[in-house]
Amino acid sequence: MDASTIILGFTGSIGSGCSFIAKTIPSIAEKEYKYFKLSDIIRDILRDEGNTNPSVSELQDKGNELRAKNQQGYLVKKLLEKINTDPDIKDETEIIIDGIKNEGEVQTLKQFPFFYLFSIHSDSSLRQKRYEKDGIITEAEQFYKIDTRDRLEEFSYGQQVKKCNYLSDIIILNNQEFASADQQGKQAFIRGIYRKYVRLVELLKSGQKSAEHNPSVDELCMTTAYALSRMSSCLKRKVGAVIINKKASEQQSNTHNAAGLIETLPCIVSSGYNEVPLGSHKCIFHPDFQMCYRDHLQEMHARKFKHCPECGNEIGDVSITCPKCGKSYNGYKKFCPVCQIELEDNFKCESCSSELFKEFLPGEKKSPGKLLDMCRALHAEENALLNLVNYNNSNNDHLELYVTTQPCNLCANKIVSAGIKKVIFEEPYLMKESSDILRSGNVTVERFEGVKSSAFFKLYQQ
């Protein structure tokens, strides 16, 4: 295996169908692919220790242990060693690596120029149903526990599917249910993935051009939204949004596909990104706090803690040290002004072991209200909707919103009132109220599928 080898990585939450897609690609691909699964490295180690049939939890525990003892990319490095000594791997053989779970595993593979990470997504209810059907779990609570842990553990060596999804290059939606005997349907689904995305990587490696591999409207609009998000000064999450008029797009279309047929050229009528109102200091430059305003509020609130809210016992001295620069702070500190990074604090009450600052500060687990409500900034969707004021909105029935992050409930209210009929988002934001508002307002909500902005210009450079 050399630097020109194509490496297709696959990540996704449990039950998303990651392995189903990754395993099937070699059978329909025009080039030779060899399939590997990262968890097989863990299984081999457990087998040597006498555990021949590990549970999902045992695999998670062992994977965490190996990454903690060695480094975050340990499993990938062990797999690469195995690949490089495999006599069946030829120079022209391409590689598929399934079951990527940690950010360090992604970063280790990014050293290869033809590494692309596929992120597979399915609805939670469907993923649970698949696990139950396969006999991996027997009850919903068991699935929820495994899935929650799999998505994002707080320590760096843990399960981090959420972070891996963020680092991915291509998003695939797998919400189809195939009957066990429907091999034709399954093959057609995988062929679609191969033709649209895997073949694109193969052509890039060979230096060939393809008139049929052009960005979709969704990919173009979402990449534009991500470009806008870079304008945001937000220290937490940069979000971009664009609004297109689908009807105007169809009327003004002047692009052609490989068959010479006219395609839709998106007509962008408004855009926005999350930012404080005009005339206000950006949080990082604010003379009173120079940090995220929500972090500032939490620090101020934490100073009032003299007794544990859970057991009532007195709280002693608290000291927090920045892991990057080593600077120590007396009292609770959420943000290091030297390194400009958020600090993780594990302070626990000595009497009841409550994680004081992770549970009782505003917006945390045991505190009422949402910290989002305290943000000083207008959201990207709000700015895009406000910019519609200068647009002749006689065709509001045809407006569609592309946004990098799923709208919150406050933005959902405004989206419905503005007459937006469709929302396409990339990063999920788990807020049930938002989905309910949009559904009640007859707004179609879709998860983005396709090439992400991080790989857009690389894959579509022909």
Side-chain angles (χ1 to χ4, degrees):
M1 191 179 84
D2 57 29
S4 65
T5 301
I6 292 174
I7 302 178
L8 304 180
F10 284 81
T11 188
S13 297
I14 57 172
S16 62
C18 222
S19 296
F20 157 63
I21 295 172
K23 281 181 179 179
T24 311
I25 286 176
S27 66
I28 54 95
E30 296 176 15
K31 296 175 70 68
E32 181 184 353
Y33 285 87
K34 190 75 178 286
Y35 170 87
F36 295 92
K37 192 173 178 68
L38 269 188
S39 61
D40 286 343
I41 300 291
I42 305 173
R43 290 179 189 277
D44 289 343
I45 294 172
L46 287 172
R47 188 181 300 112
D48 292 340
E49 295 176 354
N51 186 348
T52 58
N53 188 27
S55 66
V56 175
S57 296
E58 287 172 332
L59 288 168
Q60 290 175 327
D61 290 339
K62 194 64 179 179
N64 289 359
E65 178 188 324
L66 292 169
R67 284 187 288 262
K69 282 183 178 179
N70 301 281
Q71 51 191 222
Q72 288 174 268
Y74 174 76
L75 294 176
V76 164
K77 289 182 178 180
K78 292 296 289 184
L79 179 59
L80 292 177
E81 290 174 8
K82 179 180 178 180
I83 292 172
N84 284 326
T85 57
D86 189 334
D88 294 331
I89 303 293
K90 308 179 186 68
D91 290 341
E92 64 271 18
T93 303
E94 316 293 7
I95 304 298
I96 290 177
I97 300 178
D98 182 21
I100 294 172
K101 299 286 186 180
N102 185 276
E103 180 182 13
E105 294 162 359
V106 180
Q107 300 297 356
T108 301
L109 288 167
K110 279 188 176 291
Q111 65 183 297
F112 293 90
F114 293 100
F115 166 69
Y116 289 90
L117 182 60
F118 287 72
S119 176
I120 314 301
H121 296 263
S122 299
D123 293 339
S124 177
S125 58
L126 181 56
R127 293 190 291 108
Q128 180 183 330
K129 184 178 177 181
R130 288 170 181 161
Y131 252 46
E132 290 173 346
K133 182 180 178 181
D134 293 340
I136 301 173
I137 60 163
T138 56
E139 55 186 28
E141 185 177 345
Q142 187 181 2
F143 174 82
Y144 177 78
K145 182 179 179 181
I146 296 172
D147 186 41
T148 301
R149 180 183 181 184
D150 188 60
R151 186 168 61 248
L152 186 62
E153 291 181 309
E154 294 181 349
F155 32 88
S156 61
Y157 54 84
Q159 314 288 308
Q160 299 179 336
V161 170
K162 183 177 180 180
K163 287 187 176 181
C164 293
N165 287 337
Y166 180 78
L167 293 170
S168 66
D169 300 297
I170 297 164
I171 290 177
I172 302 294
L173 301 183
N174 182 26
N175 284 321
Q176 300 187 60
E177 292 189 75
F178 298 101
S180 300
D182 186 12
Q183 295 302 320
Q184 188 174 355
K186 294 177 183 178
Q187 289 284 319
F189 175 63
I190 302 299
R191 281 197 196 93
I193 294 172
Y194 175 75
R195 286 197 305 268
K196 286 175 70 176
Y197 308 114
V198 180
R199 188 66 186 135
L200 190 56
V201 177
E202 293 174 352
L203 289 169
L204 178 65
K205 176 183 174 178
S206 65
Q208 299 178 50
K209 295 184 178 181
S210 172
E212 64 178 301
H213 287 89
N214 293 316
S216 68
V217 170
D218 283 355
E219 289 170 342
L220 179 61
C221 291
M222 193 60 75
T223 296
T224 304
Y226 265 101
L228 282 160
S229 74
R230 298 302 91 189
M231 295 288 290
S232 171
S233 67
C234 182
L235 298 166
K236 294 294 186 183
R237 187 195 297 264
K238 298 178 185 293
V239 183
V242 297
I243 298 175
I244 71 167
N245 186 317
K246 194 66 178 290
K247 186 175 182 179
S249 298
E250 292 168 353
Q251 292 173 343
Q252 298 174 19
S253 176
N254 59 2
T255 61
H256 300 75
N257 63 15
L261 301 175
I262 293 177
E263 291 183 326
T264 299
L265 179 68
C267 179
I268 296 176
V269 297
S270 187
S271 62
Y273 55 90
N274 55 324
E275 191 56 270
V276 296
L278 292 174
S280 300
H281 286 289
K282 296 178 180 179
C283 291
I284 193 62
F285 298 121
H286 199 284
D288 295 334
F289 42 86
Q290 296 181 351
M291 61 189 295
C292 172
Y293 181 59
R294 292 182 293 173
D295 286 350
H296 170 69
L297 290 177
Q298 285 197 326
E299 283 190 13
M300 296 300 101
H301 191 86
R303 292 179 186 176
K304 300 176 183 178
F305 280 170
K306 303 300 180 185
H307 296 83
C308 173
E310 186 72 31
C311 67
N313 283 350
E314 187 175 355
I315 299 170
D317 294 334
V318 177
S319 178
I320 295 177
T321 302
C322 175
K324 187 173 181 180
C325 68
K327 184 174 176 59
S328 295
Y329 300 95
N330 293 323
Y332 177 72
K333 193 76 174 175
K334 187 72 181 283
F335 186 81
C336 177
V338 178
C339 301
Q340 309 228 329
I341 64 169
E342 187 170 330
L343 301 177
E344 287 291 335
D345 176 70
N346 296 317
F347 174 78
K348 292 185 178 181
C349 172
E350 294 179 356
S351 300
C352 67
S353 297
S354 293
E355 293 184 304
L356 186 60
F357 300 126
K358 288 186 178 180
E359 294 182 2
F360 294 102
L361 288 178
E364 301 296 351
K365 298 176 184 176
K366 296 185 180 180
S367 176
K370 297 184 182 298
L371 199 58
L372 180 67
D373 299 340
M374 304 174 189
C375 182
R376 298 174 62 238
L378 287 164
H379 292 188
E381 303 96 314
E382 291 177 306
N383 274 321
L385 292 170
L386 287 171
N387 287 335
L388 275 176
V389 171
N390 298 321
Y391 170 68
N392 179 5
N393 59 357
S394 59
N395 288 319
N396 268 24
D397 284 348
H398 304 278
L399 296 182
E400 297 182 359
L401 170 70
Y402 288 82
V403 60
T404 56
T405 302
Q406 187 175 0
C408 68
N409 62 320
L410 299 176
C411 287
N413 287 325
K414 299 176 179 67
I415 288 168
V416 172
S417 297
I420 304 290
K421 295 305 177 185
K422 186 176 181 180
V423 172
I424 300 95
F425 71 91
E426 182 172 313
E427 300 168 41
Y429 185 77
L430 301 178
M431 185 177 281
K432 181 179 180 296
E433 296 88 347
S434 169
S435 298
D436 292 343
I437 291 167
L438 293 172
R439 191 182 303 110
S440 299
N442 295 319
V443 177
T444 301
V445 180
E446 292 182 0
R447 180 72 187 269
F448 170 78
E449 180 177 35
V451 175
K452 292 176 60 176
S453 61
S454 57
F456 183 90
F457 292 101
K458 186 175 179 181
L459 283 172
Y460 291 122
Q461 64 177 274
Q462 296 104 314

